[in-house]
Amino acid sequence: MSLVETLLQSVWLPVAAVALLWAETAALCLLAEQPLARFKLLAGNVLAGTCLITALGIALQNGPGIFILGALTLSLAAHALDVYTRLASPPDNR
């Protein structure tokens, strides 16, 4: 088995990707003048990304389709939240 196949079948690849996504989000929030306001702007996006990576991880592990569908549904809801947040925020906060 090649290294790439081993990584793709490992449960740790999506876990590491989610951890990196949240670490980047935390860093961006901590570097902002208003960390909570920045987090509110990024929350929908990071949640959608987390759900998509989770769905990919389940699929790579040959998990049940209903769990993949559930993660994708949650991702769609988080994306809708992200779009709503972006449209509702004042132009100078984007």
Side-chain angles (χ1 to χ4, degrees):
M1 184 175 288
S2 73
L3 178 62
V4 174
E5 289 175 339
T6 303
L7 281 175
L8 287 176
Q9 292 177 354
S10 169
V11 71
W12 294 110
L13 185 64
V15 170
V18 168
L20 182 63
L21 177 64
W22 279 95
E24 179 183 6
T25 302
L28 288 172
C29 292
L30 292 174
L31 293 173
E33 290 180 19
Q34 298 176 343
L36 187 58
R38 175 64 55 94
F39 181 74
K40 287 180 182 178
L41 287 174
L42 295 175
N45 195 324
V46 73
L47 288 173
T50 299
C51 291
L52 285 173
I53 294 170
T54 301
L56 176 64
I58 295 168
L60 288 173
Q61 294 295 313
N62 294 321
I66 192 72
F67 291 152
I68 298 169
L69 182 61
L72 291 174
T73 302
L74 289 173
S75 178
L76 180 60
H79 173 67
L81 173 68
D82 182 40
V83 170
Y84 173 78
T85 303
R86 290 175 192 257
L87 292 176
S89 68
D92 58 87
N93 285 343
R94 291 183 190 178

PDB file of all heavy atoms in Angstrom, residues 48-75:
ATOM      1  N   ALA A  48     -19.104  25.363   7.960  1.00  0.00           N
ATOM      2  CA  ALA A  48     -19.348  24.683   6.684  1.00  0.00           C
ATOM      3  C   ALA A  48     -18.128  23.858   6.279  1.00  0.00           C
ATOM      4  O   ALA A  48     -18.254  22.706   5.848  1.00  0.00           O
ATOM      5  CB  ALA A  48     -19.688  25.703   5.600  1.00  0.00           C
ATOM      6  N   GLY A  49     -16.938  24.428   6.440  1.00  0.00           N
ATOM      7  CA  GLY A  49     -15.717  23.698   6.109  1.00  0.00           C
ATOM      8  C   GLY A  49     -15.521  22.474   6.982  1.00  0.00           C
ATOM      9  O   GLY A  49     -15.131  21.412   6.509  1.00  0.00           O
ATOM     10  N   THR A  50     -15.823  22.623   8.264  1.00  0.00           N
ATOM     11  CA  THR A  50     -15.707  21.494   9.184  1.00  0.00           C
ATOM     12  C   THR A  50     -16.640  20.366   8.772  1.00  0.00           C
ATOM     13  O   THR A  50     -16.247  19.190   8.765  1.00  0.00           O
ATOM     14  CB  THR A  50     -16.016  21.948  10.626  1.00  0.00           C
ATOM     15  OG1 THR A  50     -15.068  22.945  11.003  1.00  0.00           O
ATOM     16  CG2 THR A  50     -15.965  20.787  11.591  1.00  0.00           C
ATOM     17  N   CYS A  51     -17.863  20.706   8.418  1.00  0.00           N
ATOM     18  CA  CYS A  51     -18.829  19.675   8.006  1.00  0.00           C
ATOM     19  C   CYS A  51     -18.414  19.007   6.697  1.00  0.00           C
ATOM     20  O   CYS A  51     -18.570  17.791   6.541  1.00  0.00           O
ATOM     21  CB  CYS A  51     -20.224  20.288   7.882  1.00  0.00           C
ATOM     22  SG  CYS A  51     -20.936  20.782   9.456  1.00  0.00           S
ATOM     23  N   LEU A  52     -17.875  19.781   5.758  1.00  0.00           N
ATOM     24  CA  LEU A  52     -17.426  19.191   4.493  1.00  0.00           C
ATOM     25  C   LEU A  52     -16.246  18.247   4.711  1.00  0.00           C
ATOM     26  O   LEU A  52     -16.198  17.152   4.136  1.00  0.00           O
ATOM     27  CB  LEU A  52     -17.040  20.287   3.500  1.00  0.00           C
ATOM     28  CG  LEU A  52     -18.195  21.034   2.861  1.00  0.00           C
ATOM     29  CD1 LEU A  52     -17.673  22.204   2.021  1.00  0.00           C
ATOM     30  CD2 LEU A  52     -19.039  20.115   2.008  1.00  0.00           C
ATOM     31  N   ILE A  53     -15.297  18.662   5.552  1.00  0.00           N
ATOM     32  CA  ILE A  53     -14.152  17.794   5.839  1.00  0.00           C
ATOM     33  C   ILE A  53     -14.613  16.536   6.571  1.00  0.00           C
ATOM     34  O   ILE A  53     -14.110  15.435   6.323  1.00  0.00           O
ATOM     35  CB  ILE A  53     -13.077  18.558   6.637  1.00  0.00           C
ATOM     36  CG1 ILE A  53     -12.487  19.671   5.777  1.00  0.00           C
ATOM     37  CG2 ILE A  53     -11.983  17.614   7.107  1.00  0.00           C
ATOM     38  CD1 ILE A  53     -11.598  20.638   6.543  1.00  0.00           C
ATOM     39  N   THR A  54     -15.583  16.692   7.459  1.00  0.00           N
ATOM     40  CA  THR A  54     -16.137  15.535   8.169  1.00  0.00           C
ATOM     41  C   THR A  54     -16.791  14.567   7.187  1.00  0.00           C
ATOM     42  O   THR A  54     -16.593  13.347   7.270  1.00  0.00           O
ATOM     43  CB  THR A  54     -17.145  15.985   9.234  1.00  0.00           C
ATOM     44  OG1 THR A  54     -16.471  16.851  10.159  1.00  0.00           O
ATOM     45  CG2 THR A  54     -17.750  14.814   9.963  1.00  0.00           C
ATOM     46  N   ALA A  55     -17.573  15.103   6.243  1.00  0.00           N
ATOM     47  CA  ALA A  55     -18.213  14.249   5.235  1.00  0.00           C
ATOM     48  C   ALA A  55     -17.156  13.513   4.410  1.00  0.00           C
ATOM     49  O   ALA A  55     -17.300  12.315   4.128  1.00  0.00           O
ATOM     50  CB  ALA A  55     -19.111  15.087   4.323  1.00  0.00           C
ATOM     51  N   LEU A  56     -16.095  14.210   4.044  1.00  0.00           N
ATOM     52  CA  LEU A  56     -15.011  13.571   3.297  1.00  0.00           C
ATOM     53  C   LEU A  56     -14.356  12.468   4.115  1.00  0.00           C
ATOM     54  O   LEU A  56     -14.087  11.370   3.616  1.00  0.00           O
ATOM     55  CB  LEU A  56     -13.961  14.606   2.882  1.00  0.00           C
ATOM     56  CG  LEU A  56     -12.730  14.063   2.170  1.00  0.00           C
ATOM     57  CD1 LEU A  56     -13.105  13.429   0.840  1.00  0.00           C
ATOM     58  CD2 LEU A  56     -11.700  15.149   1.986  1.00  0.00           C
ATOM     59  N   GLY A  57     -14.115  12.743   5.398  1.00  0.00           N
ATOM     60  CA  GLY A  57     -13.507  11.737   6.269  1.00  0.00           C
ATOM     61  C   GLY A  57     -14.377  10.495   6.397  1.00  0.00           C
ATOM     62  O   GLY A  57     -13.876   9.372   6.362  1.00  0.00           O
ATOM     63  N   ILE A  58     -15.681  10.696   6.532  1.00  0.00           N
ATOM     64  CA  ILE A  58     -16.606   9.554   6.619  1.00  0.00           C
ATOM     65  C   ILE A  58     -16.585   8.764   5.319  1.00  0.00           C
ATOM     66  O   ILE A  58     -16.546   7.531   5.330  1.00  0.00           O
ATOM     67  CB  ILE A  58     -18.031  10.036   6.957  1.00  0.00           C
ATOM     68  CG1 ILE A  58     -18.070  10.657   8.355  1.00  0.00           C
ATOM     69  CG2 ILE A  58     -19.028   8.887   6.872  1.00  0.00           C
ATOM     70  CD1 ILE A  58     -19.354  11.415   8.651  1.00  0.00           C
ATOM     71  N   ALA A  59     -16.583   9.482   4.194  1.00  0.00           N
ATOM     72  CA  ALA A  59     -16.568   8.802   2.896  1.00  0.00           C
ATOM     73  C   ALA A  59     -15.276   8.025   2.689  1.00  0.00           C
ATOM     74  O   ALA A  59     -15.297   6.895   2.171  1.00  0.00           O
ATOM     75  CB  ALA A  59     -16.761   9.822   1.776  1.00  0.00           C
ATOM     76  N   LEU A  60     -14.148   8.607   3.099  1.00  0.00           N
ATOM     77  CA  LEU A  60     -12.866   7.914   2.940  1.00  0.00           C
ATOM     78  C   LEU A  60     -12.784   6.665   3.810  1.00  0.00           C
ATOM     79  O   LEU A  60     -12.043   5.736   3.500  1.00  0.00           O
ATOM     80  CB  LEU A  60     -11.696   8.855   3.267  1.00  0.00           C
ATOM     81  CG  LEU A  60     -11.419   9.956   2.249  1.00  0.00           C
ATOM     82  CD1 LEU A  60     -10.355  10.900   2.773  1.00  0.00           C
ATOM     83  CD2 LEU A  60     -10.990   9.356   0.918  1.00  0.00           C
ATOM     84  N   GLN A  61     -13.539   6.641   4.899  1.00  0.00           N
ATOM     85  CA  GLN A  61     -13.570   5.474   5.783  1.00  0.00           C
ATOM     86  C   GLN A  61     -14.668   4.493   5.384  1.00  0.00           C
ATOM     87  O   GLN A  61     -14.949   3.548   6.114  1.00  0.00           O
ATOM     88  CB  GLN A  61     -13.792   5.933   7.230  1.00  0.00           C
ATOM     89  CG  GLN A  61     -12.652   6.745   7.798  1.00  0.00           C
ATOM     90  CD  GLN A  61     -11.388   5.942   7.925  1.00  0.00           C
ATOM     91  OE1 GLN A  61     -11.405   4.827   8.415  1.00  0.00           O
ATOM     92  NE2 GLN A  61     -10.282   6.501   7.478  1.00  0.00           N
ATOM     93  N   ASN A  62     -15.306   4.736   4.235  1.00  0.00           N
ATOM     94  CA  ASN A  62     -16.419   3.912   3.765  1.00  0.00           C
ATOM     95  C   ASN A  62     -17.550   3.857   4.799  1.00  0.00           C
ATOM     96  O   ASN A  62     -18.141   2.805   5.042  1.00  0.00           O
ATOM     97  CB  ASN A  62     -15.955   2.494   3.403  1.00  0.00           C
ATOM     98  CG  ASN A  62     -15.030   2.499   2.215  1.00  0.00           C
ATOM     99  OD1 ASN A  62     -15.245   3.248   1.263  1.00  0.00           O
ATOM    100  ND2 ASN A  62     -13.996   1.687   2.271  1.00  0.00           N
ATOM    101  N   GLY A  63     -17.820   5.020   5.395  1.00  0.00           N
ATOM    102  CA  GLY A  63     -18.873   5.111   6.403  1.00  0.00           C
ATOM    103  C   GLY A  63     -20.254   5.077   5.781  1.00  0.00           C
ATOM    104  O   GLY A  63     -20.416   5.141   4.554  1.00  0.00           O
ATOM    105  N   PRO A  64     -21.267   4.981   6.630  1.00  0.00           N
ATOM    106  CA  PRO A  64     -22.645   4.932   6.140  1.00  0.00           C
ATOM    107  C   PRO A  64     -23.035   6.206   5.380  1.00  0.00           C
ATOM    108  O   PRO A  64     -22.681   7.319   5.794  1.00  0.00           O
ATOM    109  CB  PRO A  64     -23.481   4.803   7.417  1.00  0.00           C
ATOM    110  CG  PRO A  64     -22.529   4.405   8.491  1.00  0.00           C
ATOM    111  CD  PRO A  64     -21.185   4.881   8.079  1.00  0.00           C
ATOM    112  N   GLY A  65     -23.742   6.016   4.312  1.00  0.00           N
ATOM    113  CA  GLY A  65     -24.165   7.137   3.484  1.00  0.00           C
ATOM    114  C   GLY A  65     -25.024   8.143   4.225  1.00  0.00           C
ATOM    115  O   GLY A  65     -24.965   9.337   3.945  1.00  0.00           O
ATOM    116  N   ILE A  66     -25.796   7.683   5.203  1.00  0.00           N
ATOM    117  CA  ILE A  66     -26.664   8.591   5.944  1.00  0.00           C
ATOM    118  C   ILE A  66     -25.834   9.588   6.753  1.00  0.00           C
ATOM    119  O   ILE A  66     -26.224  10.749   6.919  1.00  0.00           O
ATOM    120  CB  ILE A  66     -27.663   7.805   6.840  1.00  0.00           C
ATOM    121  CG1 ILE A  66     -28.745   8.728   7.390  1.00  0.00           C
ATOM    122  CG2 ILE A  66     -26.947   7.093   7.963  1.00  0.00           C
ATOM    123  CD1 ILE A  66     -29.747   9.176   6.374  1.00  0.00           C
ATOM    124  N   PHE A  67     -24.669   9.159   7.249  1.00  0.00           N
ATOM    125  CA  PHE A  67     -23.799  10.076   7.989  1.00  0.00           C
ATOM    126  C   PHE A  67     -23.160  11.099   7.051  1.00  0.00           C
ATOM    127  O   PHE A  67     -22.994  12.267   7.414  1.00  0.00           O
ATOM    128  CB  PHE A  67     -22.722   9.320   8.751  1.00  0.00           C
ATOM    129  CG  PHE A  67     -23.241   8.511   9.904  1.00  0.00           C
ATOM    130  CD1 PHE A  67     -22.575   7.382  10.310  1.00  0.00           C
ATOM    131  CD2 PHE A  67     -24.396   8.862  10.578  1.00  0.00           C
ATOM    132  CE1 PHE A  67     -23.029   6.618  11.383  1.00  0.00           C
ATOM    133  CE2 PHE A  67     -24.871   8.122  11.636  1.00  0.00           C
ATOM    134  CZ  PHE A  67     -24.180   6.997  12.046  1.00  0.00           C
ATOM    135  N   ILE A  68     -22.800  10.656   5.855  1.00  0.00           N
ATOM    136  CA  ILE A  68     -22.256  11.573   4.859  1.00  0.00           C
ATOM    137  C   ILE A  68     -23.319  12.597   4.489  1.00  0.00           C
ATOM    138  O   ILE A  68     -23.054  13.807   4.447  1.00  0.00           O
ATOM    139  CB  ILE A  68     -21.765  10.810   3.607  1.00  0.00           C
ATOM    140  CG1 ILE A  68     -20.641   9.852   3.981  1.00  0.00           C
ATOM    141  CG2 ILE A  68     -21.303  11.779   2.524  1.00  0.00           C
ATOM    142  CD1 ILE A  68     -20.280   8.865   2.883  1.00  0.00           C
ATOM    143  N   LEU A  69     -24.535  12.123   4.247  1.00  0.00           N
ATOM    144  CA  LEU A  69     -25.645  13.017   3.915  1.00  0.00           C
ATOM    145  C   LEU A  69     -25.915  13.988   5.058  1.00  0.00           C
ATOM    146  O   LEU A  69     -26.164  15.177   4.831  1.00  0.00           O
ATOM    147  CB  LEU A  69     -26.903  12.200   3.602  1.00  0.00           C
ATOM    148  CG  LEU A  69     -28.141  12.994   3.199  1.00  0.00           C
ATOM    149  CD1 LEU A  69     -27.881  13.790   1.931  1.00  0.00           C
ATOM    150  CD2 LEU A  69     -29.316  12.057   3.009  1.00  0.00           C
ATOM    151  N   GLY A  70     -25.856  13.522   6.283  1.00  0.00           N
ATOM    152  CA  GLY A  70     -26.068  14.392   7.437  1.00  0.00           C
ATOM    153  C   GLY A  70     -25.015  15.488   7.524  1.00  0.00           C
ATOM    154  O   GLY A  70     -25.337  16.655   7.765  1.00  0.00           O
ATOM    155  N   ALA A  71     -23.751  15.124   7.320  1.00  0.00           N
ATOM    156  CA  ALA A  71     -22.678  16.115   7.368  1.00  0.00           C
ATOM    157  C   ALA A  71     -22.814  17.126   6.232  1.00  0.00           C
ATOM    158  O   ALA A  71     -22.587  18.325   6.424  1.00  0.00           O
ATOM    159  CB  ALA A  71     -21.316  15.422   7.313  1.00  0.00           C
ATOM    160  N   LEU A  72     -23.211  16.652   5.055  1.00  0.00           N
ATOM    161  CA  LEU A  72     -23.402  17.569   3.926  1.00  0.00           C
ATOM    162  C   LEU A  72     -24.591  18.498   4.164  1.00  0.00           C
ATOM    163  O   LEU A  72     -24.554  19.678   3.791  1.00  0.00           O
ATOM    164  CB  LEU A  72     -23.581  16.782   2.628  1.00  0.00           C
ATOM    165  CG  LEU A  72     -22.339  16.057   2.129  1.00  0.00           C
ATOM    166  CD1 LEU A  72     -22.681  15.196   0.907  1.00  0.00           C
ATOM    167  CD2 LEU A  72     -21.227  17.037   1.801  1.00  0.00           C
ATOM    168  N   THR A  73     -25.639  17.991   4.797  1.00  0.00           N
ATOM    169  CA  THR A  73     -26.803  18.824   5.125  1.00  0.00           C
ATOM    170  C   THR A  73     -26.421  19.909   6.132  1.00  0.00           C
ATOM    171  O   THR A  73     -26.805  21.072   5.986  1.00  0.00           O
ATOM    172  CB  THR A  73     -27.945  17.955   5.684  1.00  0.00           C
ATOM    173  OG1 THR A  73     -28.285  16.968   4.699  1.00  0.00           O
ATOM    174  CG2 THR A  73     -29.162  18.783   6.025  1.00  0.00           C
ATOM    175  N   LEU A  74     -25.658  19.522   7.154  1.00  0.00           N
ATOM    176  CA  LEU A  74     -25.179  20.514   8.122  1.00  0.00           C
ATOM    177  C   LEU A  74     -24.276  21.550   7.461  1.00  0.00           C
ATOM    178  O   LEU A  74     -24.319  22.737   7.796  1.00  0.00           O
ATOM    179  CB  LEU A  74     -24.440  19.822   9.262  1.00  0.00           C
ATOM    180  CG  LEU A  74     -25.298  19.015  10.227  1.00  0.00           C
ATOM    181  CD1 LEU A  74     -24.404  18.251  11.211  1.00  0.00           C
ATOM    182  CD2 LEU A  74     -26.267  19.911  10.968  1.00  0.00           C
ATOM    183  N   SER A  75     -23.482  21.115   6.496  1.00  0.00           N
ATOM    184  CA  SER A  75     -22.625  22.039   5.774  1.00  0.00           C
ATOM    185  C   SER A  75     -23.450  23.049   4.977  1.00  0.00           C
ATOM    186  O   SER A  75     -23.119  24.238   4.937  1.00  0.00           O
ATOM    187  CB  SER A  75     -21.689  21.282   4.832  1.00  0.00           C
ATOM    188  OG  SER A  75     -20.900  22.177   4.098  1.00  0.00           O
TER     189      SER A  75
END
